[in-house]
């Protein structure tokens, strides 16, 4: 069994109802961490909730390049990321290995803007991950990991536990995770979903992050990727009995390269 587990709820700030579910899951002890979407309508309320003792220091940035309106100007002119209406419309293939300089700078500017909006609302993110896993796209992941190292916070690795990962995917994710870990210097060792808890053997050591999207099922909590009525709390207790649930605050900072992200992205 892993030594500790981070149960992280994505999409904090997406809507008032999402905030209510995530707050309830914290209070019930089902989750131990969350990440907030800085460009979403309920973000400011999420930042208020983040000041509660149970949540304080446990909320990261859910970097978003796929939904809603951006917070920075440059990315609006980049057709890779936005449509003519000024909305995110990512057209970058998941297997892309390169971005031109203008696109890279636009991504960095938007990342900085989303991070700054967290600070402006009294919340310093505990870590960084991304909506729809956009930082699993190699060049975006490098930008996010360098920025995380500069800010001194961990970054989420790509999910690499699960039975539905082909050999090419496993090879790619192994290489990507090595790169993210080397650049950011702080990550959990393993990442999976609640569905993976049903299907794969758990790591025998280390820190595991479980990426969840909690839902209400009566007084209990499910997950959008579990079967209707299936209890997230029950699966966690069944597969990880007695394992302490922690936040990214426990992850040590071990970055080897400590790059200056703003300089690196200009080259």
């Amino acid at each position: 069994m892993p030594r500790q587990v981070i149960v992280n709820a994505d999409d904090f700030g997406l809507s008032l109802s999402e905030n209510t579910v995530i707050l309830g899951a914290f209070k019930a002890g089902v989750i131990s961490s969350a990440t907030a979407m800085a460009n979403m309508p309920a973000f400011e309320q999420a930042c208020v909730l983040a000041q509660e003792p149970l949540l304080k220091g446990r909320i990261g940035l859910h970097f978003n390049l796929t939904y809603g309106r951006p917070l920075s100007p440059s990315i609006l002119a980049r057709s890779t990321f936005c449509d003519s209406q000024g909305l995110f419309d990512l057209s970058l293939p998941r297997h892309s290995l390169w971005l031109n300089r203008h696109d890279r700078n636009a991504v960095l500017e938007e990342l900085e803007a989303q991070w700054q909006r967290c600070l402006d609302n009294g919340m310093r993110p505990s870590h960084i991950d991304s909506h729809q896993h956009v930082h699993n796209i190699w060049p975006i992941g490098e930008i996010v990991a360098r920025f995380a190292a500069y800010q001194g916070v961990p970054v989420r690795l790509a999910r690499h536990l699960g039975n539905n990962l082909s050999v090419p995917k496993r090879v790619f994710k192994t290489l990507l995770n090595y790169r993210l870990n080397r650049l950011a210097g702080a990550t959990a060792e393993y990442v999976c979903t609640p569905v993976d808890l049903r299907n794969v053997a758990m790591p025998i050591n280390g820190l595991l992050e479980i990426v969840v999207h909690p839902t209400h099922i009566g007084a209990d909590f499910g997950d959008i990727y579990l079967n209707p009525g299936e209890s997230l709390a029950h699966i966690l207790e069944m597969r990880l009995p007695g394992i302490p649930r922690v936040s990214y605050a426990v992850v040590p900072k071990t970055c080897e390269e400590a790059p200056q992200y703003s300089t690196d992205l200009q080259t």
Side-chain angles (χ1 to χ4, degrees):
M1 289 291 179
R3 293 191 311 272
Q4 298 170 310
V5 60
I6 299 168
V7 186
N8 189 92
D10 291 356
D11 300 346
F12 199 32
L14 177 64
S15 66
L16 296 179
S17 61
E18 200 76 29
N19 289 355
T20 299
V21 173
I22 288 174
L23 178 62
F26 264 113
K27 290 182 175 179
V30 175
I31 65 173
S32 58
S33 175
T35 38
M37 302 176 74
N39 69 325
M40 288 290 105
F43 173 74
E44 290 184 356
Q45 187 210 42
C47 288
V48 172
L49 296 175
Q51 301 308 313
E52 295 199 11
L54 193 60
L55 281 66
K56 197 170 182 64
R58 293 173 174 264
I59 309 299
L61 172 63
H62 197 50
F63 181 45
N64 179 17
L65 290 174
T66 62
Y67 187 52
R69 293 186 180 277
L71 299 181
S72 60
S74 296
I75 205 165
L76 291 169
R78 310 308 305 166
S79 60
T80 305
F81 301 102
C82 291
D83 64 19
S84 60
Q85 306 303 311
L87 297 173
F88 280 128
D89 184 24
L90 185 66
S91 60
L92 187 67
R94 304 294 297 194
H95 59 268
S96 297
L97 298 177
W98 182 83
L99 277 176
N100 66 53
R101 180 172 60 87
H102 295 297
D103 281 346
R104 294 200 313 271
N105 288 340
V107 170
L108 175 58
E109 182 181 281
E110 181 62 22
L111 178 56
E112 290 173 328
Q114 293 185 25
W115 179 272
Q116 187 61 46
R117 190 163 188 233
C118 292
L119 301 183
D120 292 344
N121 281 273
M123 183 190 75
R124 190 177 196 278
S126 60
H127 65 291
I128 305 175
D129 55 40
S130 62
H131 192 53
Q132 298 181 337
H133 313 294
V134 294
H135 79 292
N136 291 180
I137 302 173
W138 191 285
I140 294 176
E142 290 195 328
I143 294 167
V144 170
R146 286 189 170 102
F147 183 81
Y150 181 80
Q151 298 296 343
V153 299
V155 68
R156 172 187 289 166
L157 294 182
R159 167 183 167 262
H160 56 298
L161 298 178
N163 291 336
N164 62 339
L165 297 174
S166 65
V167 172
K169 273 190 176 182
R170 287 187 185 278
V171 171
F172 174 80
K173 290 191 175 194
T174 298
L175 294 173
L176 174 65
N177 285 346
Y178 175 82
R179 184 65 171 155
L180 292 176
N181 188 40
R182 186 168 178 81
L183 289 175
T187 66
E189 285 94 341
Y190 307 97
V191 179
C192 73
T193 71
V195 174
D196 299 324
L197 291 180
R198 292 189 314 220
N199 301 327
V200 301
M202 289 295 96
I204 61 173
N205 206 345
L207 176 63
L208 168 68
E209 181 186 1
I210 304 170
V211 181
V212 303
H213 298 79
T215 60
H216 275 308
I217 47 174
D220 199 358
F221 294 90
D223 187 271
I224 61 172
Y225 294 115
L226 293 176
N227 296 326
E230 188 174 7
S231 171
L232 172 62
H234 176 71
I235 288 178
L236 291 170
E237 288 298 334
M238 181 178 63
R239 296 292 285 135
L240 298 165
I243 304 301
R245 296 180 195 175
V246 298
S247 72
Y248 264 98
V250 305
V251 179
K253 182 66 178 157
T254 59
C255 183
E256 298 178 16
E257 296 187 6
Q260 294 294 313
Y261 73 92
S262 56
T263 301
D264 286 355
L265 290 180
Q266 301 302 319
T267 59

